[in-house]
Amino acid sequence: MKKRITVVLILFFITAINGFTQNITDSDIPQDMNAVLSNKKLTVAITSADQPPFYYINKEGKLTGYDIDTASHMAKELNVELVINRDAASFNDLIALVASGKADLAISKLSRTLARARYVKFSTPYIVFKQGLLLNRLQLAKITTEDNINSFVRNYVGTLGVIKASSYVNYARENFPRATIREYDSWDDVIKALNMGEILAAYRDELEIKRILNNMPNSSLKFKPIYFTDLIDPIAIAVKSENTQLLYWVNTFLEAQGNKVTADEILAIYKDK
C-alpha cells in the first residue's frame, strides 16, 4: 500500500512539473530587445569625423576600426544587419541620437560622464584610459623647469586646448579650473595650435597622445607627454534610457569578451592608424 502511494505521489509531481513547464517564445522577449530583432538591424551611431583607430576609412575605402569590429560582432551575435549612423557632428550629438531612438547604440569612443548620463544609460566601460597632457616643450621651458613640472601641472594656469563639445571640455573645467580653455573643432586643430605655440598644452586621453608621438616626426623633441594615474576616461556604450534589456545584453556581451584592452594593445592591433 505504501509503495503504491509513493508511486502515485511521484506521478503527481511529474504531472505538476510538466504542467508548469512552458517553452520560451519570441513573445517573451522584452519589447526593446525585440525591436532590434524584429527589425533585423542594429543601428549604431558614430561621429561624422573619423576617430582612428576606433573608426576610420582605410586605404581600401572601407569603414574599419576597433569600435566597428565591436559593433559588427554584436550584430553577428544578434543575427541582424549592422547599420552605421554618422549624423553626429560631435560626441555630444551622439547622445541626442540615442535618446531620440534614431540609433540603438552609440559605440564611438564615447566617454561616460555624469552630464551625459542624465539623458542615456551607459554600459560598463569597455576601455578605461588615463587622461593626459601633451605640452609644447619650448613654451614649457619659458615657464618652469623639468624638476618642477609635476607641481606646475597640478596647479596648471596656462592655455589648454580641447575638442569642442567633447568630454574634455568639462574635464578641463573640473581638473584645471585655473587654466585658460580653448576649444577647437578637431583634435588635429588642437595639435596644430600646440605645434604653433598658440597653446601650452593639449588635453585628451593617453591613446590620442601616444598616436601623436608615434606618428609625428620629431614629436619627442617638440612635445612632452604627462599621463595621470588618478584621472581616467571611461569609454562606454550609450543606450536609450528605457532600453534596459538591450543594456543588459550589451553588458553581458562585453563581459564575455574578457579583459579590457589597453591603449597600447589597440595601437598595436591597428598600427596602420
Side-chain angles (χ1 to χ4, degrees), residues 113-114 131 167-177 181 203:
T113 67
L114 289 173
Q131 294 183 22
S167 57
Y168 278 82
V169 176
N170 286 333
Y171 286 154
R173 291 169 182 161
E174 293 169 3
N175 299 321
F176 303 103
I181 302 169
Y203 187 27

Side-chain angles (χ1 to χ4, degrees), residues 160-166 169 173 181-186 190:
L160 195 59
V162 295
I163 300 174
K164 181 169 55 180
S166 73
V169 176
R173 291 169 182 161
I181 302 169
R182 295 184 182 173
E183 300 181 40
Y184 295 85
D185 289 334
S186 70
V190 175

